[in-house]
Amino acid sequence: MNRRTTALAAVAVLSAAGLALAGCAQPNAKPTNSEPAQLPLIGWTPVAADDVQQGGTLSLAVLSSGTDEGNWNISTTQGANVPVVNMTSPLMGTPYKATKDGQVEVDPNYATDIKLESDSPQTVDVKLNDKAVWEDGKPITANDYKATFAALSGKNTKFNIASSAGFDQVSSFDVVSDYEFTFTFGETYADWQALLTTPAVPADIASDPAKWASFTTKPLPSSGPFVMSKIDNNAKVYTETPNPKWWGTKPKLDQIVWKVIDQGAQAQTFANNEINAVEAQDVDTYTAALKKSGAKALSSGGLTYSQVTFNGLQAPVDNVNVRKAIAQAVDRTLIAKTANEPLGVKATTDGNWIFMPGQKGYEDTVGNKLPYDIDAAKKDLEAAGYKHDGSQWTKDGKQLKLSVIVPQGTKSNELRAQQIQSSLKKIDVPVTLDEVPSADYFDNIQNGKFEMATFGWQGTLFPISSTESLFYPEMKPGGSGQNYAFVTDEKLGDLWKQANAELDPAKRLNIASQINDTIASYVPMLPIYPYPNVQVVDKNLANYGPGTFTDLTEDWTTVGFTK
């Protein structure tokens, strides 16, 4: 699925069609390219079902809920973030599921067969599992998918959607029967499988923009092995129990309890046995959590990366040369080392706007086009019309000052902002930290109430098509989409159109390289480093933990505690 934030604030999300909102080199030194750390694809050792006890409560922490973010529908701009995606993942499923190596395979709980029937026109046939039902017992049918595809197409602008990527290319959708449908693309769409990693929504909801956006205090109806059985929006505690209508393998757990807890308090909550696992994004959390008796650290690679987004409509970062100066002055290597090495994993910077280090197609475009270079940063500021008097930069009598918006209670964001502040101080550009309540953080970003923001984007199995919404088209503050820089380069529209229609892998990667070069030319956002997935968990917790492509677990029915 897909993806948005790790530190609540720390990350925005990419759903299948878009991204989810998920935290010292010497002066003038240019970081050398290094091979990305080869972390495992999954961080835990699978435990056989017979060795997992029946029953038990799994308690987990998140940084926000769907209620806090404004919607539980993960296909909306508010709901498309990592905490909401994680909380709802036991409640939903899709025809395709991710494998541990980043491929997809048919999930027999939801589909019995999926075929690409024709390349021209590109037509896909899907046969659904006729045993699959919503939590009220009504069958999950082709009409539900038809309505969901229509809502996500972007054709009806009344629907609040995070991204229409791929769905907007579907020219026709045909219901063959209650349990079979086909869809055809107007033009070839290379990442067609991504559309079937997006959860369906009941047709009566997906056909009504008001209902679609109405899940502000509770989740959508369940189609997974668990249901949300108790909601306490005041205490911010959410309880999920086995779905009595579930047709698949019986879950091991009696319940999953999600608690909204500030990042800084999670380690102590773990030590107090109030939760069974904690995501370690900072060394304080990592160190404190490991002091708990019976705790163990698990790590894997990840698809989430930290970055700085520039508000292209807000002076002074509305000037492309100011953005380039910041990009070349920020010491990404130091920030990566500071964030990751204390967590017991090697660090590497992220220099690509589409691919993560280790993914096929990755190249260090940032390192090639915008290397860490203080002298070059100063020349960029001069190109922007600023003059340096020995202690500050001024233009038309006004000093150059910047700010970074930071969510309260999220250490990883605060630390990263402080490091950006420290980097820019070396070129005499002062940076203030604009601290806001964590619940307001993404609202402010979506509404353009910031200059710079540093959070993490969580990618998908289909990085070329899913990243499009971060950069194209141009988005208005408060509007639908995920382009929080609010600016674009119109060349990207044609390049992404070419990439999404190209079935030849080598040619497609070449187009992706051109996309990266174009983004580097106007710098709406600066990638910094990839997050490793690190969790500290109770040693008897089974089949749960960090994974590169399978976040948290491969199968919620197998999660539990060892006998």
Side-chain angles (χ1 to χ4, degrees), residues 132-365:
V133 296
W134 299 106
E135 65 178 76
D136 62 2
K138 293 180 180 178
I140 300 174
T141 70
N143 282 318
D144 296 316
Y145 284 91
K146 181 177 182 179
T148 302
F149 272 50
L152 292 171
S153 71
K155 294 175 182 177
N156 185 342
T157 57
K158 292 182 179 180
F159 280 93
N160 173 356
I161 59 174
S163 174
S164 62
F167 294 96
D168 59 358
Q169 302 299 312
V170 175
S171 59
S172 64
F173 189 109
D174 297 302
V175 174
V176 179
S177 69
D178 283 348
Y179 303 107
E180 183 178 2
F181 61 87
T182 66
F183 57 96
T184 301
F185 292 92
E187 298 178 2
T188 303
Y189 188 72
D191 281 341
W192 62 270
Q193 292 172 311
L195 279 62
L196 297 171
T197 63
T198 296
V201 174
D204 66 312
I205 296 170
S207 59
D208 185 333
K211 289 182 179 180
W212 174 269
S214 69
F215 289 84
T216 57
T217 59
K218 65 179 182 179
L220 289 157
S222 172
S223 61
F226 287 82
V227 296
M228 185 71 77
S229 56
K230 186 176 180 181
I231 298 171
D232 190 332
N233 282 317
N234 292 321
K236 297 188 178 183
V237 177
Y238 304 86
T239 303
E240 298 169 352
T241 52
N243 181 355
K245 301 293 185 180
W246 175 245
W247 58 97
T249 302
K250 180 181 179 180
K252 290 290 186 178
L253 291 168
D254 286 334
Q255 58 181 8
I256 304 169
V257 178
W258 302 87
K259 303 175 181 180
V260 177
I261 303 170
D262 282 348
Q263 190 180 61
Q266 289 186 9
Q268 186 59 52
T269 307
F270 176 68
N272 294 342
N273 292 313
E274 295 175 49
I275 54 176
N276 301 107
V278 59
E279 184 177 10
Q281 289 192 356
D282 61 83
V283 65
D284 291 341
T285 299
Y286 179 76
T287 303
L290 278 176
K291 292 180 180 179
K292 179 180 179 180
S293 177
K296 62 180 180 181
L298 304 174
S299 62
S300 76
L303 289 178
T304 301
Y305 64 95
S306 67
Q307 51 79 43
V308 184
T309 290
F310 306 111
N311 183 345
L313 301 181
Q314 180 70 51
V317 291
D318 60 341
N319 187 306
V320 64
N321 286 308
V322 172
R323 300 198 295 268
K324 287 181 176 179
I326 297 168
Q328 297 207 260
V330 170
D331 192 340
R332 298 182 306 125
T333 299
L334 176 59
I335 296 175
K337 288 180 177 180
T338 303
N340 292 353
E341 289 184 353
L343 303 181
V345 296
K346 294 180 179 180
T348 183
T349 56
D350 179 14
N352 199 279
W353 284 277
I354 294 177
F355 303 102
M356 295 293 289
Q359 284 188 310
K360 189 173 183 179
Y362 178 85
E363 56 186 358
D364 187 9
T365 306

